[in-house]
Amino acid sequence: MAFADKQLTCRDCGTIFVFTAGEQEFYANKGLMNQPSRCPACRSARKQSASSLEAQDGYVRYGNFASFGGKTPRQMHPAACAECGQMTEVPFVPRGERPVYCSTCYSKLKPSNERERQETAR
Ligand SMILES: [Zn+2]
Ligand SMILES: [Zn+2]
């Protein structure tokens, strides 16, 4: 297949830009049959806005992963406080093996062994 430089008009800004023979060959090698409808400036602008329409290379798709910031947020599970019954969230799956306390009750119970005293009083 022979390629020749082509003049194309940008769909977005109307600029006439050259779709060079080299670019046409590059597109053909990537299996892209459509010629670019936007000038290089508009193409890179769209790429930076992470539009999915032109997501033909890895850059745009990377944007989706970048939103996680590289680390997974800790999964929190809703649970009822064993002390006051208030709903709270804990960083583990509550299975009933150990009591779940809200942060208020937890800080109340933690310093001393209040819990043992209450259990014996019951
Ligand atoms: Zn343009
Ligand atoms: Zn509580």
Side-chain angles (χ1 to χ4, degrees):
M1 243 207 276
F3 296 100
D5 287 9
K6 249 192 240 183
Q7 287 203 334
L8 299 174
T9 309
C10 174
R11 190 202 284 172
D12 280 6
C13 67
T15 299
I16 293 172
F17 64 99
V18 178
F19 188 30
T20 65
E23 285 174 318
Q24 291 174 49
E25 195 174 355
F26 177 77
Y27 267 59
N29 286 338
K30 285 180 85 175
L32 302 170
M33 301 315 286
N34 298 325
Q35 59 190 22
S37 49
R38 288 174 189 87
C39 70
C42 288
R43 260 182 280 159
S44 62
R46 286 179 68 89
K47 227 176 238 182
Q48 276 170 21
S49 71
S51 162
S52 59
L53 290 171
E54 302 260 317
Q56 286 169 342
D57 57 33
Y59 288 103
V60 175
R61 262 176 269 140
Y62 176 75
N64 296 334
F65 294 107
S67 65
F68 285 105
K71 55 183 174 183
T72 334
R74 192 137 61 135
Q75 178 80 47
M76 298 299 279
H77 303 272
C81 173
E83 184 68 17
C84 68
Q86 198 181 292
M87 286 309 285
T88 184
E89 283 186 327
V90 289
F92 55 89
V93 182
R95 292 181 213 275
E97 289 162 4
R98 50 179 166 159
V100 171
Y101 298 105
C102 69
S103 55
T104 313
C105 294
Y106 188 74
S107 59
K108 258 194 292 177
L109 294 166
K110 204 184 177 186
S112 59
N113 282 335
E114 282 292 314
R115 192 147 53 96
E116 278 178 26
R117 208 205 293 170
Q118 283 180 1
E119 274 170 8
T120 50
R122 222 174 264 162

